[in-house]
């Protein structure tokens, strides 16, 4: 039986050696593909960056032409010369008013292009027509130029701006010729000597188009592929190692010899250890790939001094810094403050919170920053930071606010006319209404008033957000203010069968805008009445402490749900947001009230329980006004 055991050990050892050999080669090939993918990603970013930088440079010329549509060759050359000095890849720029090239810089060596009518150029007209009809920039090429050589041409449609009938009229196109060889030189294709690249166009539907760089055989050898976004379309970039993908590791012979020695010495324990190490390495590769290719910016910093220990490509792309330039700097150089990681000894996690991140050009972008602290084996603290660019989200939010503001302004005038007409009809100014029509008119008046309140709330909220709300601060008597406030809601309280009481000991004065104060109190009192059961009482009390006056509005309603309390003062927030909620409202009242109080140097807070809710507003106390007798 001993020989059986020995044969079994040999067989198991041989299998182990073969398995480890396979894992080693697969890991080597996988690592090699990951390394190629990282280089391709870098090259794609450079290609997109150089193209976009050239196009953005020419947009300055577009703006000049849009405002000076009648500029001549001299003026065009004056502006274009400034543009051309900023990018070495730009070969020339031309202006084609009404689709005929009449302007060119530099004119020397490009005279052959003057007078070219794009509409008669079969090769170029489709791209130019697409740019003109879509109003968007379209990049074509590389194509053979009339003046010789090859280049990529950006077609930028131009629409005139300014007052008068010529405003927004299609002027023509500006063509920016990016020299093909200079572009490839700037991107750095020549620096990747160990890789073979190929680029082809993609149709709008994603189908494969013609190859214009490299050999088509690259796409047939399992290449690393990435899409390159260019103005008006997409390219597909593919790369393989020069000579093809390796079938096995370079040092496979030495590794196999080492496996034989290790198997003879430690047999199965050594095999198991090797397999474990291979798995751990694969896990590290996956983590490294996640770090490098993640779409969010990720950085690892030292918790003590804020030094960068690791930065992924996404963070470099987000901030515009060149790769490797942030490693010697600290997080403060990127954020301009040390606040995000101070006190992390007591905070394992923080964020996401909005901060300003500095770009390479000095501009700032809005990001959501989140962080988590980890401890190494030697108890040294490290912090992972995750950056999410929210510039576009904020732009969309701004567009939404502007849209709501515009719609609100446009609706208020016709709605006022409708409401007035309905009230005149209800009052019999247009003749007696049939009895069957009166409930319908009454319902229409009630809903038009509800819409008017909604629009006014939207406009007030828009003014508060934009900082355009005006205040006329004056010294006012609290007793007079409360008397008027209670009188304003007396009818509503009576309809809801709710009583109103107030408590004020002595006369006291505050600094407020009377109209805005009543707007706040109307909201608080109407909310208290709305949520109070019939037969209950809404109480208003005044408390004077030092230089502040606190006015409290208390109800006996069901209280505010715990899950909703954190969102109480947010816009459009309601405890019951369903379309079947028992209590109506826009969800803007408390947000407006807080904004108005802050504009009057006041504040608002609340406390709640199942037995009722108390809202407390605090305002600056004032001395009684001095009344001067006049003879």
């Amino acid at each position: 039986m001993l020989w059986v055991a020995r044969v079994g050990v040999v067989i198991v050892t041989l299998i182990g050696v073969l398995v480890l050999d396979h894992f080693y080669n697969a890991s080597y090939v996988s690592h090699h593909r990951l390394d190629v993918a990282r280089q391709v990603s870098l090259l794609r970013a450079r290609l997109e960056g150089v193209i976009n930088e050239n196009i953005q440079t020419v947009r300055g010329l577009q703006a000049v032409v849009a405002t000076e549509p009648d500029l001549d060759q001299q003026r065009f050359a004056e502006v274009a010369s400034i543009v051309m000095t900023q990018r070495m890849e730009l070969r020339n720029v031309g202006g084609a008013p009404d689709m005929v090239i009449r302007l060119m810089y530099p004119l020397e060596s490009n005279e052959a292009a003057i007078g070219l009518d794009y509409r008669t150029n079969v090769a170029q007209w489709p791209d130019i027509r697409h740019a003109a009809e879509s109003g968007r920039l379209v990049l074509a090429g590389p194509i053979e130029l009339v003046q010789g050589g090859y280049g990529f041409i950006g077609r930028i449609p131009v629409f005139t701006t300014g007052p008068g009938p010529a405003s927004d009229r299609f002027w023509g196109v500006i063509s920016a010729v990016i020299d093909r060889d200079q572009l490839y030189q700037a991107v750095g294709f020549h620096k990747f000597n160990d890789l073979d690249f190929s680029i082809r166009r993609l149709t709008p539907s994603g189908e494969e188009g013609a190859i214009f760089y490299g050999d088509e055989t690259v796409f047939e050898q399992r290449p690393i592929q990435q899409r390159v976004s260019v103005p008006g379309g997409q390219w597909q970039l593919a790369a393989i190692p020069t000579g093809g993908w390796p079938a096995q590791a370079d040092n496979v012979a030495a590794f196999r010899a080492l496996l034989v020695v290790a198997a003879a010495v430690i047999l199965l324990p050594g095999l198991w250890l090797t397999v474990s190490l291979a798995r751990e390495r694969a896990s590290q590769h996956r983590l490294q790939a996640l770090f490098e290719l993640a779409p969010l910016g990720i950085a690892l910093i030292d918790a003590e001094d804020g030094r960068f220990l690791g930065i992924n490509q996404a963070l470099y792309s987000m901030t515009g810094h060149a790769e490797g330039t942030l490693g010697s700097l600290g997080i403060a150089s990127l954020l301009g403050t040390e606040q995000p990681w101070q006190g992390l000894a007591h905070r394992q996690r923080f964020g996401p919170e909005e901060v300003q991140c500095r770009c390479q050009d000095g501009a700032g972008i809005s990001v959501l920053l989140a962080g988590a602290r980890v401890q190494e084996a030697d108890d040294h603290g490290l912090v992972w930071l995750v950056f999410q660019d929210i510039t576009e989200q904020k732009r969309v939010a701004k567009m939404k606010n502007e849209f709501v503001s515009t719609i609100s302004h446009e609706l208020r005038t016709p709605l006022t006319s409708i409401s007035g007409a309905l009230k005149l009809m209800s009052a019999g100014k247009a003749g007696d209404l049939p009895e069957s029509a009166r409930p319908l008119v009454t319902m229409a008046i009630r809903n038009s008033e509800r819409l008017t309140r909604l629009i006014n709330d939207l406009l007030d909220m828009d003014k508060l957000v934009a900082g355009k709300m005006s205040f006329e601060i004056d010294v006012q008597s609290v007793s007079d203010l409360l008397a008027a406030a209670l009188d304003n809601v007396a009818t509503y309280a009576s309809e809801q069968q709710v009583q109103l009481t107030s408590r004020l000991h002595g006369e006291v004065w505050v600094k407020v805008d009377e109209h805005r104060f009543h707007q706040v109190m109307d909201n608080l009192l109407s909310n208290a009445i709305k949520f109070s059961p019939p037969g209950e009482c809404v109480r208003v009390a005044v408390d004077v402490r030092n230089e502040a006056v606190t006015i409290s509005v208390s109800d006996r309603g069901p209280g505010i749900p715990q899950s909703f309390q954190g969102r109480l003062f947010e816009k459009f927030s309601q405890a019951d947001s369903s379309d079947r909620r028992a209590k109506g409202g826009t969800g803007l009242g408390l947000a407006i009230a807080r904004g108005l109080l802050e504009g009057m140097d006041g504040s608002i807070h609340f406390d709640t329980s199942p037995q009722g809710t108390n809202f407390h507003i605090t305002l600056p106390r004032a001395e009684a006004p001095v009344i001067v007798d006049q003879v």
Side-chain angles (χ1 to χ4, degrees):
M1 296 297 294
L2 182 60
W3 67 270
V4 175
R6 290 177 178 174
V7 171
V9 170
V10 172
I11 293 175
V12 171
T13 303
L14 180 59
I15 293 174
V17 168
L18 293 176
V19 170
L20 284 176
D21 182 73
H22 170 74
F23 268 93
Y24 181 76
N25 283 293
S27 177
Y28 176 84
V29 173
S30 175
H31 178 75
H32 200 58
R33 287 188 68 88
L34 181 61
D35 184 65
V36 172
R38 187 163 48 247
Q39 295 183 69
V40 172
S41 179
L42 175 61
L43 189 66
R44 174 194 57 77
R46 288 180 178 175
L47 183 58
E48 291 179 345
V50 173
I51 291 175
N52 286 328
E53 288 170 2
N54 279 274
I55 295 300
Q56 290 301 324
T57 299
V58 179
R59 286 196 181 277
L61 179 59
Q62 176 194 15
V64 172
V65 175
T67 56
E68 301 180 30
D70 297 324
L71 80 172
D72 55 13
Q73 172 64 29
Q74 180 180 356
R75 175 58 175 160
F76 183 87
E78 177 185 344
V79 179
S81 63
I82 300 175
V83 172
M84 292 284 291
T85 58
Q86 299 180 30
R87 299 301 309 181
M88 295 183 59
E89 299 82 29
L90 285 175
R91 181 168 175 177
N92 61 65
V93 290
D98 299 325
M99 298 302 183
V100 179
I101 296 181
R102 298 189 177 93
L103 306 171
M104 177 64 64
Y105 183 85
L107 186 59
E108 184 178 358
S109 302
N110 293 298
E111 294 88 349
I114 297 297
L116 173 64
D117 190 335
Y118 283 137
R119 290 165 295 194
T120 63
N121 191 307
V122 177
Q124 301 187 32
W125 175 240
D127 289 331
I128 297 173
R129 183 176 60 184
H130 177 61
E133 292 177 350
S134 65
R136 298 179 179 177
L137 184 150
V138 175
L139 184 69
I143 61 176
E144 185 174 4
L145 305 172
V146 175
Q147 58 272 43
Y150 291 84
F152 296 89
I153 304 182
R155 312 295 190 184
I156 307 174
V158 180
F159 296 85
T160 58
T161 61
S167 176
D168 295 329
R169 183 180 64 83
F170 179 68
W171 177 86
V173 296
I174 291 178
S175 63
V177 178
I178 303 174
D179 188 271
R180 179 191 63 181
D181 297 333
Q182 288 290 337
L183 173 64
Y184 294 161
Q185 179 74 17
V187 172
F189 280 103
H190 61 285
K191 297 180 180 179
F192 296 86
N193 298 323
D194 57 341
L195 296 177
D196 290 335
F197 294 97
S198 186
I199 308 176
R200 64 186 173 195
R201 298 183 183 86
L202 294 177
T203 65
S205 60
E207 297 177 357
E208 299 172 356
I211 294 174
F212 61 87
Y213 182 89
D215 192 344
E216 64 179 1
T217 59
V218 171
F219 285 94
E220 302 170 0
Q221 302 181 52
R222 299 185 300 113
I224 299 295
Q225 301 184 51
Q226 291 194 12
R227 291 197 174 191
V228 181
S229 296
V230 297
Q234 288 188 330
W235 299 341
Q236 191 170 44
L237 172 64
I240 60 172
T242 300
W245 296 103
Q248 59 186 14
D250 295 338
N251 58 347
V252 65
F255 180 72
R256 288 172 178 171
L258 179 63
L259 280 181
V260 172
V261 174
V265 175
I266 59 176
L267 294 177
L268 294 178
L271 175 62
W272 180 253
L273 177 61
T274 307
V275 172
S276 299
L277 291 175
R279 290 176 177 174
E280 181 178 353
R281 183 177 180 183
S283 177
Q284 291 176 350
H285 286 168
R286 287 193 293 268
L287 180 61
Q288 181 69 18
L290 174 64
F291 178 77
E292 292 292 341
L293 302 178
L296 300 179
I298 304 175
L300 180 64
I301 66 170
D302 190 303
E304 302 300 326
D305 56 18
R307 288 183 300 106
F308 282 112
L309 303 179
I311 304 170
N312 72 343
Q313 181 61 40
L315 184 55
Y316 279 115
S317 300
M318 182 187 304
T319 59
H321 289 275
E323 185 173 0
T325 56
L326 292 175
S328 60
L329 305 176
I331 185 66
S333 65
L334 197 61
L335 300 180
T337 173
E338 299 186 357
Q339 182 178 358
W341 71 88
Q342 285 185 344
L344 278 178
H346 306 289
R347 299 173 61 194
Q348 289 300 113
R349 298 176 182 272
F350 69 94
E353 58 186 58
E354 183 177 342
V355 299
Q356 287 293 311
C357 188
R358 292 181 179 176
C359 295
Q360 188 275 337
D361 58 2
I365 60 173
S366 297
V367 299
L368 283 182
L369 179 65
R373 182 187 178 108
V374 295
Q375 297 294 129
E376 292 190 306
D378 59 357
D379 204 34
H380 185 75
L382 302 177
V383 180
W384 283 103
L385 294 179
V386 179
F387 300 75
Q388 180 183 0
D389 187 352
I390 58 172
T391 304
E392 181 64 16
Q393 298 177 24
K394 295 188 70 174
R395 185 186 70 83
V396 172
K398 181 180 178 182
M399 290 175 60
K400 181 190 71 175
N401 291 336
E402 291 175 350
F403 173 76
V404 170
S405 175
T406 300
I407 293 299
S408 300
H409 279 285
E410 293 298 326
L411 286 177
R412 183 160 63 174
T413 298
L415 187 58
T416 300
S417 300
I418 293 171
S419 179
L422 289 170
K423 290 178 180 179
L424 290 174
M425 290 176 62
S426 178
K429 300 299 183 180
D432 294 335
L433 289 175
E435 288 300 323
S436 60
R438 289 187 179 278
L440 297 176
V441 173
T442 302
M443 180 177 63
I445 292 174
R446 183 169 61 252
N447 282 282
S448 66
E449 291 174 346
R450 181 180 177 185
L451 281 175
T452 300
R453 287 194 298 271
L454 171 60
I455 292 171
N456 288 336
D457 283 350
L458 288 172
L459 292 175
D460 284 344
M461 196 71 250
D462 181 61
K463 290 180 181 179
L464 287 170
V465 171
K468 297 179 179 180
M469 181 68 76
S470 60
F471 295 91
E472 296 181 4
I473 306 299
D474 196 4
V475 176
Q476 299 287 339
S477 166
V478 173
S479 60
D480 292 343
L481 291 173
L482 292 184
L486 293 173
D487 186 61
N488 288 340
V489 297
T491 302
Y492 180 53
S494 177
E495 293 174 352
Q496 301 297 317
Q497 302 178 29
V498 174
Q499 298 181 6
L500 300 175
T501 63
S502 62
R503 176 173 57 83
L504 173 62
H505 299 294
E507 186 60 276
V508 64
W509 303 80
V510 291
K511 296 178 180 178
V512 294
D513 181 316
E514 182 179 3
H515 172 69
R516 302 305 179 191
F517 174 83
H518 284 306
Q519 195 172 348
V520 173
M521 289 301 296
D522 284 348
N523 180 268
L524 297 181
L525 288 170
S526 61
N527 278 349
I529 295 169
K530 178 168 59 176
F531 290 101
S532 293
E536 287 293 347
C537 182
V538 172
R539 296 176 174 83
V540 180
V542 179
D543 184 27
V544 181
R545 294 185 181 180
N546 299 326
E547 299 301 318
V549 177
T550 300
I551 301 173
S552 301
V553 177
S554 305
D555 64 54
R556 300 290 292 174
I560 301 171
Q562 178 69 33
S563 60
F564 179 64
Q565 293 178 18
R567 299 182 290 113
L568 187 63
F569 292 102
E570 294 181 2
K571 293 183 291 184
F572 301 105
S573 60
Q574 293 179 326
D576 180 7
S577 58
S578 68
D579 57 2
R580 297 183 177 90
R581 59 181 182 268
K583 307 295 184 180
T586 65
L588 290 172
L590 289 177
I592 293 174
R594 183 174 65 174
L596 293 177
L597 287 169
E598 290 174 352
M600 296 184 290
D601 295 329
S603 62
I604 183 171
H605 65 281
F606 71 94
D607 56 78
T608 185
S609 70
Q611 288 74 43
T613 300
N614 306 309
F615 278 92
H616 311 282
I617 63 174
T618 302
L619 293 166
R621 185 180 180 183
E623 297 294 334
V626 178
I627 301 176
V628 180
D629 294 333
Q630 296 182 1
V631 181

